[in-house]
């Protein structure tokens, strides 16, 4: 007995394919015609990338400090020359620490280095001479930098003099090796991390705004009244923004490599696998926000608070997670950018480390599934 496929089922599948293609085409036209989509997807990412590439730097070099030598002797002049030769300091010379007090208060210098008058006598007597470091404690990071660099300059000067006086090199010498980022250039890890911030903007903020706009205008209810299912509608809306997010990421990577000179040691496959996976929770969160609010202004505020700020502050991008309070550390586990940013930095600076990537991909997929399930449930309730 010959069994032939039912004609109705084939036509039904073909009809679903045509409906889905029409939805994707309609959403793509809307993206092209909407200036805000182009602004968020391409203009804002470029601005952010240039800010993190050129404007933001965690490298403390040429910090302006005042140097006071209270008694000029060959020994104190030699130590002063060591401070002046440091690439971390821009030294302004003076005779009295009171000359720099107003400059320190007004922020014109970040610290005052004082070589006291008894420095030479203490050194000759075999006592440990002291160098006073006065810093502005209102900026703890810079204050710590000035203090540590001053201690390093004094230690280096003393080590050189000890070696020269004995005629032999120091007994123990520490050789430093910095893997993956030998120059310790902050741009090399800030720029890859900023790509995750850009994808958060495109994936969550843009999606929540555009879909919330359709809820406001009533077009979402009108489309749900058609034979289109909720799954087809959501997938048709997300696919153009998924492609838009990958396109924005590609543009940022090209600028990072060819304009900012960030090394890229991984594979393109790992880059796109991580980025595509990250867009799942980002798009799902945008859908959930739009379905829950149905208001553009409220959706944009929720997207910034729940997606952009956590990606910026709680992902390890700028602040070390291990230094945060324990409660905040637990919260970071549900921030998708926590898993993307270290993975992107690894792709750029170290190469492909698939065990690390596999764990990040699995967690981001899990978070994405939760967001999509909540978004679908919220959408059905709204329509019902």
């Amino acid at each position: 007995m010959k069994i032939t496929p039912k004609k109705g089922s084939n036509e039904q599948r073909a009809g679903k394919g045509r409906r889905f293609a029409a939805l994707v085409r309609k959403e793509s036209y809307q993206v092209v015609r909407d200036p805000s989509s182009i602004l968020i997807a391409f203009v804002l990412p470029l601005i952010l990338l240039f800010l993190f590439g050129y404007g933001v730097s965690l490298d403390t070099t040429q910090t302006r400090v005042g140097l006071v030598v209270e008694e000029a002797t060959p020994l104190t002049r030699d130590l002063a020359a060591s401070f002046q030769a440091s690439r971390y300091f821009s030294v302004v010379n003076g005779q009295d620490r009171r000359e720099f007090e107003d400059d320190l208060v007004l922020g014109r210098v970040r610290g005052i280095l004082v070589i006291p008058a008894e420095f030479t006598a203490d050194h000759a007597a075999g006592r440990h001479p002291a160098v006073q470091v006065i810093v502005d404690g209102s900026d703890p990071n810079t204050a710590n930098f000035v203090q540590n660099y001053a201690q390093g300059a004094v230690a280096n000067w003393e080590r050189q003099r000890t070696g020269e006086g004995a005629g032999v090199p120091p007994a123990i010498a520490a050789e430093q090796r910095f893997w993956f980022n030998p120059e310790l250039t902050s741009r090399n890890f800030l720029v890859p991390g900023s790509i995750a911030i850009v994808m958060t903007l495109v994936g969550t903020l843009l999606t929540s705004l555009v879909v919330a706009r359709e809820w406001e205008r009533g077009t979402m209810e009108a489309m749900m009244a058609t034979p289109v299912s909720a799954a087809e509608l959501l997938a048709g809306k997300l696919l153009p923004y998924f492609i838009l997010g990958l396109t924005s990421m590609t543009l940022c990577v090209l600028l990072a490599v060819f304009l900012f000179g960030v090394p890229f040691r991984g594979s393109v496959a790992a880059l796109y696998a991580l980025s595509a996976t990250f867009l799942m929770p980002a798009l799902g969160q945008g859908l959930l926000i739009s379905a829950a609010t149905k208001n553009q202004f409220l959706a944009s505020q929720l997207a910034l608070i729940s997606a952009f700020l956590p990606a910026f502050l709680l992902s390890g991008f700028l602040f070390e997670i291990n230094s945060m309070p324990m409660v905040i550390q637990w919260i970071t586990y549900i921030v998708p950018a926590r898993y993307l940013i270290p993975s992107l930095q690894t792709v750029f600076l170290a190469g492909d480390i698939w065990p690390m990537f596999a764990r990040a991909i699995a967690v981001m997929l899990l978070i994405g599934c939760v967001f999509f399930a909540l978004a679908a449930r919220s959408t059905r309730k709204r329509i019902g």
Side-chain angles (χ1 to χ4, degrees):
M1 181 177 178
K2 188 176 180 180
I3 301 176
T4 57
K6 294 182 179 180
K7 184 177 179 180
S9 61
N10 292 335
E11 290 179 352
Q12 188 177 10
R13 285 194 294 268
K16 287 183 179 180
R18 287 194 297 270
R19 287 198 302 269
F20 183 73
L23 282 171
V24 173
R25 189 162 51 247
K26 173 255 182 192
E27 201 64 34
S28 301
Y29 289 153
Q30 182 172 336
V31 170
V32 173
R33 292 195 303 262
D34 186 10
S36 64
S37 299
I38 304 301
L39 176 69
I40 296 176
F42 296 107
V43 179
L44 284 183
L46 291 179
I47 294 174
L48 281 176
L49 206 64
F50 275 92
L51 283 176
F52 285 111
Y54 289 122
V56 178
S57 176
L58 302 181
D59 305 325
T60 303
T61 58
Q62 295 298 303
T63 302
R64 189 177 175 87
V65 296
L67 176 62
V68 177
V69 181
E70 293 184 344
E71 182 181 0
T73 65
L75 192 67
T76 57
R77 283 195 292 265
D78 188 34
L79 178 56
S82 179
F83 285 123
Q84 293 166 345
S86 173
R87 66 186 181 96
Y88 300 108
F89 292 138
S90 175
V91 176
V92 181
N93 294 304
Q95 302 297 323
D96 193 302
R97 70 188 70 188
R98 287 172 293 187
E99 298 177 23
F100 298 108
E101 288 180 355
D102 290 339
D103 291 335
L104 184 63
V105 172
L106 297 175
R108 289 195 287 259
V109 298
R110 294 299 183 179
I112 305 173
L113 309 177
V114 181
I115 304 177
E118 62 273 11
F119 183 89
T120 302
D122 289 343
H123 190 275
R127 296 187 294 269
H128 292 287
V131 174
Q132 187 177 27
V133 181
I134 305 171
V135 293
D136 180 6
S138 63
D139 186 356
N141 288 333
T142 304
N144 285 328
F145 283 139
V146 172
Q147 181 180 4
N148 292 333
Y149 291 150
Q151 290 175 349
V154 171
N156 185 55
W157 171 81
E158 189 174 9
R159 186 168 55 250
Q160 289 178 348
R161 287 191 61 85
T162 302
E164 290 174 2
V168 294
I172 299 176
E175 284 193 15
Q176 295 179 337
R177 293 289 185 271
F178 299 102
W179 287 13
F180 313 128
N181 188 15
E183 300 83 8
L184 298 181
T185 305
S186 61
R187 177 188 296 176
N188 289 347
F189 68 87
L190 282 178
V191 172
S194 67
I195 296 176
I197 309 299
V198 166
M199 295 179 68
T200 302
L201 281 176
V202 176
T204 304
L205 179 61
L206 182 58
T207 304
S208 63
L209 281 175
V210 172
V211 179
R213 182 188 308 154
E214 297 211 14
W215 283 108
E216 284 183 343
R217 295 175 178 175
T219 55
M220 184 68 78
E221 288 88 345
M223 293 180 66
M224 292 297 292
T226 65
V228 177
S229 66
E232 289 175 341
L233 177 60
L234 295 181
K237 282 195 161 297
L238 289 182
L239 184 58
Y241 295 102
F242 180 82
I243 297 174
L244 193 64
L246 290 181
T247 304
S248 180
M249 180 275 299
T250 303
L251 175 63
C252 292
V253 170
L254 292 176
L255 289 175
V257 174
F258 295 107
L259 180 62
F260 298 113
V262 180
F264 185 82
R265 301 188 175 102
S267 65
V268 175
L271 174 68
Y272 277 91
L274 290 164
S275 301
T277 307
F278 174 77
L279 284 174
M280 299 296 289
L283 294 171
Q285 187 176 1
L287 271 180
L288 177 61
I289 291 172
S290 64
T293 60
K294 299 204 301 186
N295 179 277
Q296 290 187 75
F297 176 77
L298 188 55
S300 65
Q301 299 304 307
L302 281 178
L304 289 174
I305 294 173
S306 65
F308 178 76
L309 288 180
F312 195 79
L313 301 175
L314 302 180
S315 61
F317 175 49
L318 289 179
F319 307 106
E320 180 63 35
I321 293 178
N322 292 330
S323 301
M324 300 177 184
M326 187 57 64
V327 175
I328 304 299
Q329 291 186 37
W330 281 104
I331 294 175
T332 63
Y333 283 106
I334 61 173
V335 178
R338 174 194 169 123
Y339 307 97
L340 178 65
I341 288 178
S343 300
L344 283 182
Q345 292 170 342
T346 301
V347 169
F348 273 86
L349 299 178
D352 291 353
I353 304 178
W354 282 104
M356 173 186 178
F357 298 162
R359 176 180 176 273
I361 288 173
V363 176
M364 288 190 291
L365 282 176
L366 178 62
I367 297 174
C369 290
V370 172
F371 278 135
F372 274 114
L374 293 175
R377 182 179 179 182
S378 180
T379 301
R380 284 195 296 266
K381 285 186 176 180
R382 291 285 182 173
I383 296 300

